[in-house]
Amino acid sequence: MLRAILWDNDGVLVDTEGLYFQTCREILETLGVALSEARFIEYFLKSSDGLRRIAAEHGIDEQTLESARIRRNARFTELVRAGVPVIGGARQVLRQLHGTVRMGIVTSSRREHFEIIHAATGMLDYIDFTLMREDYRNSKPDPEPYLTAMRQNGLSAAECVVIEDSDRGLRAALAAGLRCIVIPYGLTRGLDFTGALRQLTDIRQVPPLIHELMQT
């Protein structure tokens, strides 16, 4: 029986991925590296080690890489402080589902960024637990974030469904033995979502599907 929804954050609840692309592009430009949208999708949205892969390709040393990572995080903090749009319908969907099943957010976002983003969204009022980048060792597409969320909250894979927007999130969910509903958004549209339980076009389609799963 379905007991919990494990929500991704970026691209599912809040529209941050364009800001992250802007941040990575700006920082890499200072290193003489051009970052196209297609390369960003391949290196950052399909995997979790985009900066390291690019550094290896361009002969960037570890010290320079770490400096770039620090500057990237600081620049992203600056951008999200200016405001992050909530995905249309997300707040209403969380309110609608609140109390029917447990809901957690399992994200690759750093805690600092997550807390800034959600300081004004009001969405955490409907969330029972959160897992951020500091709460596990290996990021998506590794299954560790979802395995950790289930272990910490006494949940089995059969009792959960994941909501994701990227193929690396989908791969993390599937590797953890979880069902995954995918809602592609922005830069993740057009990616391969083979294995998803369902692919939706709008977050407002989630509640009827959740009620259907609760009956099975």
Side-chain angles (χ1 to χ4, degrees):
M1 181 178 177
L2 182 65
R3 291 181 54 208
I5 303 172
L6 306 179
W7 295 91
D8 180 39
N9 184 61
D10 300 282
V12 173
L13 300 177
V14 290
D15 185 5
T16 55
E17 288 175 345
L19 296 178
Y20 193 58
F21 174 40
Q22 176 184 342
T23 302
C24 292
R25 185 175 56 190
E26 288 178 1
I27 296 305
L28 286 169
E29 280 178 358
T30 69
L31 302 179
V33 178
L35 181 64
S36 66
E37 185 175 290
R39 202 177 189 197
F40 175 76
I41 292 169
E42 184 66 31
Y43 282 31
F44 292 87
L45 297 186
K46 289 187 175 183
S47 68
S48 59
D49 59 348
L51 275 184
R52 185 168 295 279
R53 288 176 64 187
I54 289 174
E57 289 179 1
H58 292 268
I60 297 170
D61 63 69
E62 187 64 34
Q63 183 176 353
T64 303
L65 175 63
E66 183 57 26
S67 173
R69 187 177 288 113
I70 291 169
R71 288 185 292 118
R72 178 196 63 183
N73 292 338
R75 175 58 174 153
F76 191 62
T77 298
E78 180 183 351
L79 291 176
V80 297
R81 280 194 191 282
V84 174
V86 172
I87 298 291
R91 191 180 290 107
Q92 298 92 316
V93 166
L94 293 183
R95 185 186 305 120
Q96 184 177 347
L97 291 170
H98 181 61
T100 62
V101 289
R102 296 182 70 193
M103 293 196 291
I105 297 176
V106 182
T107 178
S108 299
S109 289
R110 294 167 58 87
R111 188 175 305 278
E112 176 189 13
H113 299 147
F114 184 87
E115 291 178 349
I116 292 170
I117 289 166
H118 284 288
T121 67
M123 288 193 282
L124 297 187
D125 293 342
Y126 309 112
I127 296 298
D128 299 295
F129 58 90
T130 58
L131 235 74
M132 285 155 269
R133 184 63 188 88
E134 292 85 352
D135 296 322
Y136 49 82
R137 178 174 296 177
N138 299 306
S139 190
K140 304 170 188 177
D142 194 281
E144 185 182 354
Y146 286 120
L147 293 173
T148 303
M150 288 189 288
R151 184 178 66 252
Q152 290 183 353
N153 292 279
L155 296 164
S156 70
E159 294 172 322
C160 302
V161 68
V162 170
I163 315 287
E164 277 281 357
D165 74 310
S166 69
D167 82 333
R168 78 167 176 150
L170 170 63
R171 284 185 284 134
L174 295 178
L178 290 157
R179 297 168 288 178
C180 185
I181 298 165
V182 175
I183 314 171
Y185 184 83
L187 296 174
T188 66
R189 291 192 178 104
L191 298 184
D192 180 13
F193 297 113
T194 300
L197 176 68
R198 198 78 60 85
Q199 184 172 329
L200 307 179
T201 58
D202 192 291
I203 195 171
R204 282 165 282 230
Q205 296 170 307
V206 169
L209 182 52
I210 294 301
H211 292 303
E212 177 185 323
L213 293 173
M214 292 176 69
Q215 305 307 312
T216 60

PDB file of all heavy atoms in Angstrom, residues 115-141:
ATOM      1  N   GLU A 115      17.259  25.911   1.910  1.00  0.00           N
ATOM      2  CA  GLU A 115      16.604  26.737   2.929  1.00  0.00           C
ATOM      3  C   GLU A 115      16.306  28.140   2.413  1.00  0.00           C
ATOM      4  O   GLU A 115      15.261  28.712   2.736  1.00  0.00           O
ATOM      5  CB  GLU A 115      17.465  26.778   4.192  1.00  0.00           C
ATOM      6  CG  GLU A 115      17.501  25.423   4.905  1.00  0.00           C
ATOM      7  CD  GLU A 115      18.389  25.413   6.138  1.00  0.00           C
ATOM      8  OE1 GLU A 115      19.148  26.403   6.337  1.00  0.00           O
ATOM      9  OE2 GLU A 115      18.335  24.418   6.891  1.00  0.00           O
ATOM     10  N   ILE A 116      17.201  28.694   1.600  1.00  0.00           N
ATOM     11  CA  ILE A 116      16.927  30.007   1.001  1.00  0.00           C
ATOM     12  C   ILE A 116      15.723  29.920   0.079  1.00  0.00           C
ATOM     13  O   ILE A 116      14.812  30.748   0.116  1.00  0.00           O
ATOM     14  CB  ILE A 116      18.166  30.511   0.222  1.00  0.00           C
ATOM     15  CG1 ILE A 116      19.313  30.828   1.173  1.00  0.00           C
ATOM     16  CG2 ILE A 116      17.807  31.751  -0.607  1.00  0.00           C
ATOM     17  CD1 ILE A 116      20.638  31.088   0.474  1.00  0.00           C
ATOM     18  N   ILE A 117      15.709  28.895  -0.782  1.00  0.00           N
ATOM     19  CA  ILE A 117      14.633  28.730  -1.757  1.00  0.00           C
ATOM     20  C   ILE A 117      13.285  28.613  -1.066  1.00  0.00           C
ATOM     21  O   ILE A 117      12.296  29.231  -1.484  1.00  0.00           O
ATOM     22  CB  ILE A 117      14.905  27.491  -2.641  1.00  0.00           C
ATOM     23  CG1 ILE A 117      16.077  27.767  -3.591  1.00  0.00           C
ATOM     24  CG2 ILE A 117      13.658  27.084  -3.418  1.00  0.00           C
ATOM     25  CD1 ILE A 117      16.639  26.518  -4.247  1.00  0.00           C
ATOM     26  N   HIS A 118      13.229  27.822  -0.007  1.00  0.00           N
ATOM     27  CA  HIS A 118      11.931  27.530   0.616  1.00  0.00           C
ATOM     28  C   HIS A 118      11.553  28.466   1.764  1.00  0.00           C
ATOM     29  O   HIS A 118      10.499  28.290   2.381  1.00  0.00           O
ATOM     30  CB  HIS A 118      11.882  26.078   1.076  1.00  0.00           C
ATOM     31  CG  HIS A 118      11.686  25.118  -0.062  1.00  0.00           C
ATOM     32  ND1 HIS A 118      10.478  25.004  -0.720  1.00  0.00           N
ATOM     33  CD2 HIS A 118      12.546  24.272  -0.674  1.00  0.00           C
ATOM     34  CE1 HIS A 118      10.597  24.108  -1.682  1.00  0.00           C
ATOM     35  NE2 HIS A 118      11.839  23.652  -1.687  1.00  0.00           N
ATOM     36  N   ALA A 119      12.393  29.476   2.011  1.00  0.00           N
ATOM     37  CA  ALA A 119      12.066  30.422   3.088  1.00  0.00           C
ATOM     38  C   ALA A 119      10.741  31.118   2.845  1.00  0.00           C
ATOM     39  O   ALA A 119      10.043  31.496   3.792  1.00  0.00           O
ATOM     40  CB  ALA A 119      13.186  31.452   3.223  1.00  0.00           C
ATOM     41  N   ALA A 120      10.363  31.259   1.553  1.00  0.00           N
ATOM     42  CA  ALA A 120       9.141  32.010   1.246  1.00  0.00           C
ATOM     43  C   ALA A 120       8.126  31.205   0.445  1.00  0.00           C
ATOM     44  O   ALA A 120       7.081  31.737   0.076  1.00  0.00           O
ATOM     45  CB  ALA A 120       9.493  33.280   0.477  1.00  0.00           C
ATOM     46  N   THR A 121       8.389  29.912   0.160  1.00  0.00           N
ATOM     47  CA  THR A 121       7.450  29.158  -0.675  1.00  0.00           C
ATOM     48  C   THR A 121       6.229  28.667   0.088  1.00  0.00           C
ATOM     49  O   THR A 121       5.172  28.442  -0.501  1.00  0.00           O
ATOM     50  CB  THR A 121       8.126  27.936  -1.325  1.00  0.00           C
ATOM     51  OG1 THR A 121       8.467  26.980  -0.295  1.00  0.00           O
ATOM     52  CG2 THR A 121       9.351  28.338  -2.124  1.00  0.00           C
ATOM     53  N   GLY A 122       6.383  28.447   1.394  1.00  0.00           N
ATOM     54  CA  GLY A 122       5.283  27.898   2.186  1.00  0.00           C
ATOM     55  C   GLY A 122       5.071  26.409   1.987  1.00  0.00           C
ATOM     56  O   GLY A 122       4.224  25.808   2.644  1.00  0.00           O
ATOM     57  N   MET A 123       5.845  25.786   1.102  1.00  0.00           N
ATOM     58  CA  MET A 123       5.602  24.382   0.778  1.00  0.00           C
ATOM     59  C   MET A 123       6.048  23.415   1.875  1.00  0.00           C
ATOM     60  O   MET A 123       5.498  22.325   2.015  1.00  0.00           O
ATOM     61  CB  MET A 123       6.259  24.031  -0.551  1.00  0.00           C
ATOM     62  CG  MET A 123       5.540  24.645  -1.738  1.00  0.00           C
ATOM     63  SD  MET A 123       6.045  23.959  -3.329  1.00  0.00           S
ATOM     64  CE  MET A 123       7.586  24.804  -3.566  1.00  0.00           C
ATOM     65  N   LEU A 124       7.032  23.824   2.679  1.00  0.00           N
ATOM     66  CA  LEU A 124       7.513  22.913   3.710  1.00  0.00           C
ATOM     67  C   LEU A 124       6.463  22.679   4.804  1.00  0.00           C
ATOM     68  O   LEU A 124       6.587  21.738   5.587  1.00  0.00           O
ATOM     69  CB  LEU A 124       8.814  23.433   4.320  1.00  0.00           C
ATOM     70  CG  LEU A 124      10.003  23.536   3.349  1.00  0.00           C
ATOM     71  CD1 LEU A 124      11.275  23.891   4.102  1.00  0.00           C
ATOM     72  CD2 LEU A 124      10.192  22.244   2.557  1.00  0.00           C
ATOM     73  N   ASP A 125       5.440  23.504   4.847  1.00  0.00           N
ATOM     74  CA  ASP A 125       4.332  23.280   5.794  1.00  0.00           C
ATOM     75  C   ASP A 125       3.636  21.951   5.523  1.00  0.00           C
ATOM     76  O   ASP A 125       2.979  21.402   6.414  1.00  0.00           O
ATOM     77  CB  ASP A 125       3.298  24.405   5.696  1.00  0.00           C
ATOM     78  CG  ASP A 125       3.834  25.742   6.175  1.00  0.00           C
ATOM     79  OD1 ASP A 125       4.864  25.748   6.886  1.00  0.00           O
ATOM     80  OD2 ASP A 125       3.231  26.775   5.837  1.00  0.00           O
ATOM     81  N   TYR A 126       3.750  21.446   4.306  1.00  0.00           N
ATOM     82  CA  TYR A 126       3.056  20.223   3.913  1.00  0.00           C
ATOM     83  C   TYR A 126       3.987  19.010   3.840  1.00  0.00           C
ATOM     84  O   TYR A 126       3.554  17.909   3.495  1.00  0.00           O
ATOM     85  CB  TYR A 126       2.383  20.422   2.547  1.00  0.00           C
ATOM     86  CG  TYR A 126       1.540  21.666   2.498  1.00  0.00           C
ATOM     87  CD1 TYR A 126       1.905  22.750   1.699  1.00  0.00           C
ATOM     88  CD2 TYR A 126       0.395  21.787   3.272  1.00  0.00           C
ATOM     89  CE1 TYR A 126       1.141  23.906   1.664  1.00  0.00           C
ATOM     90  CE2 TYR A 126      -0.375  22.945   3.255  1.00  0.00           C
ATOM     91  CZ  TYR A 126       0.012  23.997   2.441  1.00  0.00           C
ATOM     92  OH  TYR A 126      -0.744  25.144   2.410  1.00  0.00           O
ATOM     93  N   ILE A 127       5.271  19.219   4.186  1.00  0.00           N
ATOM     94  CA  ILE A 127       6.291  18.183   4.034  1.00  0.00           C
ATOM     95  C   ILE A 127       6.646  17.588   5.397  1.00  0.00           C
ATOM     96  O   ILE A 127       6.861  18.311   6.367  1.00  0.00           O
ATOM     97  CB  ILE A 127       7.544  18.772   3.348  1.00  0.00           C
ATOM     98  CG1 ILE A 127       7.204  19.226   1.924  1.00  0.00           C
ATOM     99  CG2 ILE A 127       8.681  17.773   3.340  1.00  0.00           C
ATOM    100  CD1 ILE A 127       6.746  18.113   0.993  1.00  0.00           C
ATOM    101  N   ASP A 128       6.729  16.257   5.452  1.00  0.00           N
ATOM    102  CA  ASP A 128       7.009  15.564   6.712  1.00  0.00           C
ATOM    103  C   ASP A 128       8.493  15.381   6.985  1.00  0.00           C
ATOM    104  O   ASP A 128       8.906  15.305   8.142  1.00  0.00           O
ATOM    105  CB  ASP A 128       6.318  14.197   6.702  1.00  0.00           C
ATOM    106  CG  ASP A 128       4.808  14.315   6.569  1.00  0.00           C
ATOM    107  OD1 ASP A 128       4.185  14.863   7.492  1.00  0.00           O
ATOM    108  OD2 ASP A 128       4.255  13.883   5.540  1.00  0.00           O
ATOM    109  N   PHE A 129       9.309  15.271   5.941  1.00  0.00           N
ATOM    110  CA  PHE A 129      10.749  15.105   6.148  1.00  0.00           C
ATOM    111  C   PHE A 129      11.484  15.557   4.895  1.00  0.00           C
ATOM    112  O   PHE A 129      10.922  15.606   3.799  1.00  0.00           O
ATOM    113  CB  PHE A 129      11.111  13.654   6.496  1.00  0.00           C
ATOM    114  CG  PHE A 129      10.686  12.636   5.471  1.00  0.00           C
ATOM    115  CD1 PHE A 129      11.524  12.272   4.425  1.00  0.00           C
ATOM    116  CD2 PHE A 129       9.444  12.018   5.558  1.00  0.00           C
ATOM    117  CE1 PHE A 129      11.144  11.334   3.488  1.00  0.00           C
ATOM    118  CE2 PHE A 129       9.045  11.060   4.625  1.00  0.00           C
ATOM    119  CZ  PHE A 129       9.894  10.723   3.585  1.00  0.00           C
ATOM    120  N   THR A 130      12.767  15.911   5.075  1.00  0.00           N
ATOM    121  CA  THR A 130      13.605  16.348   3.959  1.00  0.00           C
ATOM    122  C   THR A 130      14.970  15.674   4.046  1.00  0.00           C
ATOM    123  O   THR A 130      15.464  15.378   5.136  1.00  0.00           O
ATOM    124  CB  THR A 130      13.813  17.873   3.957  1.00  0.00           C
ATOM    125  OG1 THR A 130      14.406  18.267   5.201  1.00  0.00           O
ATOM    126  CG2 THR A 130      12.487  18.609   3.770  1.00  0.00           C
ATOM    127  N   LEU A 131      15.559  15.436   2.880  1.00  0.00           N
ATOM    128  CA  LEU A 131      16.934  14.956   2.773  1.00  0.00           C
ATOM    129  C   LEU A 131      17.646  15.840   1.769  1.00  0.00           C
ATOM    130  O   LEU A 131      17.168  15.989   0.639  1.00  0.00           O
ATOM    131  CB  LEU A 131      16.961  13.502   2.285  1.00  0.00           C
ATOM    132  CG  LEU A 131      17.731  12.514   3.172  1.00  0.00           C
ATOM    133  CD1 LEU A 131      16.891  12.255   4.425  1.00  0.00           C
ATOM    134  CD2 LEU A 131      17.984  11.217   2.436  1.00  0.00           C
ATOM    135  N   MET A 132      18.782  16.422   2.195  1.00  0.00           N
ATOM    136  CA  MET A 132      19.545  17.302   1.322  1.00  0.00           C
ATOM    137  C   MET A 132      20.931  16.730   1.056  1.00  0.00           C
ATOM    138  O   MET A 132      21.267  15.658   1.573  1.00  0.00           O
ATOM    139  CB  MET A 132      19.610  18.694   1.945  1.00  0.00           C
ATOM    140  CG  MET A 132      18.298  19.456   1.813  1.00  0.00           C
ATOM    141  SD  MET A 132      18.077  20.720   3.089  1.00  0.00           S
ATOM    142  CE  MET A 132      17.209  19.814   4.354  1.00  0.00           C
ATOM    143  N   ARG A 133      21.732  17.438   0.263  1.00  0.00           N
ATOM    144  CA  ARG A 133      23.003  16.887  -0.220  1.00  0.00           C
ATOM    145  C   ARG A 133      23.931  16.498   0.914  1.00  0.00           C
ATOM    146  O   ARG A 133      24.719  15.544   0.787  1.00  0.00           O
ATOM    147  CB  ARG A 133      23.696  17.926  -1.136  1.00  0.00           C
ATOM    148  CG  ARG A 133      24.988  17.407  -1.768  1.00  0.00           C
ATOM    149  CD  ARG A 133      24.711  16.231  -2.682  1.00  0.00           C
ATOM    150  NE  ARG A 133      25.935  15.591  -3.165  1.00  0.00           N
ATOM    151  CZ  ARG A 133      26.573  14.616  -2.540  1.00  0.00           C
ATOM    152  NH1 ARG A 133      26.146  14.189  -1.364  1.00  0.00           N
ATOM    153  NH2 ARG A 133      27.649  14.072  -3.062  1.00  0.00           N
ATOM    154  N   GLU A 134      23.862  17.190   2.026  1.00  0.00           N
ATOM    155  CA  GLU A 134      24.746  16.884   3.147  1.00  0.00           C
ATOM    156  C   GLU A 134      24.320  15.630   3.915  1.00  0.00           C
ATOM    157  O   GLU A 134      25.054  15.165   4.796  1.00  0.00           O
ATOM    158  CB  GLU A 134      24.792  18.081   4.117  1.00  0.00           C
ATOM    159  CG  GLU A 134      25.478  19.317   3.559  1.00  0.00           C
ATOM    160  CD  GLU A 134      24.568  20.204   2.730  1.00  0.00           C
ATOM    161  OE1 GLU A 134      23.418  19.803   2.444  1.00  0.00           O
ATOM    162  OE2 GLU A 134      24.997  21.320   2.369  1.00  0.00           O
ATOM    163  N   ASP A 135      23.161  15.075   3.607  1.00  0.00           N
ATOM    164  CA  ASP A 135      22.628  13.959   4.378  1.00  0.00           C
ATOM    165  C   ASP A 135      23.017  12.585   3.843  1.00  0.00           C
ATOM    166  O   ASP A 135      22.614  11.560   4.380  1.00  0.00           O
ATOM    167  CB  ASP A 135      21.096  14.057   4.439  1.00  0.00           C
ATOM    168  CG  ASP A 135      20.633  15.308   5.184  1.00  0.00           C
ATOM    169  OD1 ASP A 135      21.283  15.661   6.186  1.00  0.00           O
ATOM    170  OD2 ASP A 135      19.644  15.925   4.760  1.00  0.00           O
ATOM    171  N   TYR A 136      23.782  12.551   2.762  1.00  0.00           N
ATOM    172  CA  TYR A 136      24.224  11.275   2.191  1.00  0.00           C
ATOM    173  C   TYR A 136      25.539  11.511   1.448  1.00  0.00           C
ATOM    174  O   TYR A 136      25.925  12.647   1.190  1.00  0.00           O
ATOM    175  CB  TYR A 136      23.154  10.700   1.245  1.00  0.00           C
ATOM    176  CG  TYR A 136      22.639  11.690   0.231  1.00  0.00           C
ATOM    177  CD1 TYR A 136      23.337  11.938  -0.946  1.00  0.00           C
ATOM    178  CD2 TYR A 136      21.472  12.427   0.466  1.00  0.00           C
ATOM    179  CE1 TYR A 136      22.892  12.879  -1.862  1.00  0.00           C
ATOM    180  CE2 TYR A 136      21.030  13.374  -0.449  1.00  0.00           C
ATOM    181  CZ  TYR A 136      21.742  13.585  -1.604  1.00  0.00           C
ATOM    182  OH  TYR A 136      21.313  14.515  -2.506  1.00  0.00           O
ATOM    183  N   ARG A 137      26.226  10.426   1.085  1.00  0.00           N
ATOM    184  CA  ARG A 137      27.540  10.545   0.455  1.00  0.00           C
ATOM    185  C   ARG A 137      27.445  10.677  -1.063  1.00  0.00           C
ATOM    186  O   ARG A 137      28.097  11.525  -1.655  1.00  0.00           O
ATOM    187  CB  ARG A 137      28.401   9.327   0.820  1.00  0.00           C
ATOM    188  CG  ARG A 137      29.786   9.335   0.167  1.00  0.00           C
ATOM    189  CD  ARG A 137      30.633   8.197   0.669  1.00  0.00           C
ATOM    190  NE  ARG A 137      30.904   8.319   2.098  1.00  0.00           N
ATOM    191  CZ  ARG A 137      31.579   7.411   2.799  1.00  0.00           C
ATOM    192  NH1 ARG A 137      32.023   6.319   2.218  1.00  0.00           N
ATOM    193  NH2 ARG A 137      31.792   7.599   4.087  1.00  0.00           N
ATOM    194  N   ASN A 138      26.685   9.812  -1.698  1.00  0.00           N
ATOM    195  CA  ASN A 138      26.641   9.738  -3.160  1.00  0.00           C
ATOM    196  C   ASN A 138      25.331  10.306  -3.687  1.00  0.00           C
ATOM    197  O   ASN A 138      24.251   9.875  -3.279  1.00  0.00           O
ATOM    198  CB  ASN A 138      26.806   8.290  -3.622  1.00  0.00           C
ATOM    199  CG  ASN A 138      28.131   7.698  -3.186  1.00  0.00           C
ATOM    200  OD1 ASN A 138      29.181   8.265  -3.465  1.00  0.00           O
ATOM    201  ND2 ASN A 138      28.089   6.581  -2.475  1.00  0.00           N
ATOM    202  N   SER A 139      25.422  11.254  -4.614  1.00  0.00           N
ATOM    203  CA  SER A 139      24.239  11.920  -5.148  1.00  0.00           C
ATOM    204  C   SER A 139      23.590  11.094  -6.263  1.00  0.00           C
ATOM    205  O   SER A 139      24.174  10.135  -6.766  1.00  0.00           O
ATOM    206  CB  SER A 139      24.638  13.305  -5.678  1.00  0.00           C
ATOM    207  OG  SER A 139      23.509  14.076  -6.004  1.00  0.00           O
ATOM    208  N   LYS A 140      22.370  11.467  -6.625  1.00  0.00           N
ATOM    209  CA  LYS A 140      21.700  10.853  -7.759  1.00  0.00           C
ATOM    210  C   LYS A 140      22.585  10.999  -9.007  1.00  0.00           C
ATOM    211  O   LYS A 140      23.237  12.029  -9.151  1.00  0.00           O
ATOM    212  CB  LYS A 140      20.345  11.542  -8.026  1.00  0.00           C
ATOM    213  CG  LYS A 140      19.393  11.576  -6.840  1.00  0.00           C
ATOM    214  CD  LYS A 140      18.202  12.491  -7.144  1.00  0.00           C
ATOM    215  CE  LYS A 140      17.331  12.713  -5.933  1.00  0.00           C
ATOM    216  NZ  LYS A 140      16.222  13.659  -6.198  1.00  0.00           N
ATOM    217  N   PRO A 141      22.702   9.976  -9.854  1.00  0.00           N
ATOM    218  CA  PRO A 141      21.830   8.807 -10.016  1.00  0.00           C
ATOM    219  C   PRO A 141      22.115   7.625  -9.099  1.00  0.00           C
ATOM    220  O   PRO A 141      21.527   6.565  -9.282  1.00  0.00           O
ATOM    221  CB  PRO A 141      22.065   8.416 -11.474  1.00  0.00           C
ATOM    222  CG  PRO A 141      23.482   8.815 -11.727  1.00  0.00           C
ATOM    223  CD  PRO A 141      23.671  10.086 -10.957  1.00  0.00           C
TER     224      PRO A 141
END
